[in-house]
Amino acid sequence: MTRVLVLNGPNLGRLGKREPHIYGSVTYAELKEHLEGTGEGLGLSVEVRQTDFEGEMVQWLHEAADSGAAVVLNPAAWTHYSVAIADAVAQVPTVIEVHISNVHAREEFRRHSVVSPYVKGVIAGLGLGGYDLALAHLAATS
Ligand code: DQA
C-alpha cells in the first residue's frame, strides 16, 4: 500500500479559527480525519501531520526521503522563504505542493515559492479540496 505523508506547516493547526474568510471554517482536526478517510477510500495509507517548527518539518521530509513515502505538502509561510524546507523537499522523489488559498491572487510576497522547483506539481486556490485532489493523483499514479 502506498504510504503518503500529508505535511502541514506553521499556523495550519489553527484552521477553522484562522482568517476563515481565506481558509474556511473547517478545523485542522476535521481536515485530518477527512483526509485519513479519503486515503482509506483510495487505498492509500495516509498520515496527516502539522508543525509550527521548521526543524521538525525538515526531519519529517528526511523520513519521507528515507522511507519512500510520497508527500502532500502545504509549507504555509515557509513556501516563500525557507531554503531549509526547499533543500529537504529536493530529497523526496514525490511531493505535491498544496495551498488552500490562491497565493497568486494575494499579496506580492506570496506569489513566489522557493519549494515549487522541487515538486511534481502545485495545487493552489481550490480550498481544502486541493488535498483530496493531490491524494487522488497519487492513488492514480502509484
Ligand atoms: C498557504 C498560503 C501561504 O501564503 C500562507 O502563509 C499559509 C497558507 C495556503 O494554504 O493558502 O499559511 O500555504
Side-chain angles (χ1 to χ4, degrees), residues 9-12 15 18 22-23 74-80 98-103 106-107 109-110 124-125 131:
N11 296 300
L12 291 169
L15 284 177
R18 172 195 187 194
I22 298 173
Y23 299 109
N74 186 341
W78 293 324
T79 307
H80 312 298
V98 170
H99 299 284
I100 299 163
S101 65
N102 179 356
V103 283
R106 299 181 63 193
E107 301 95 322
F109 71 87
R110 294 187 203 276
Y131 291 91

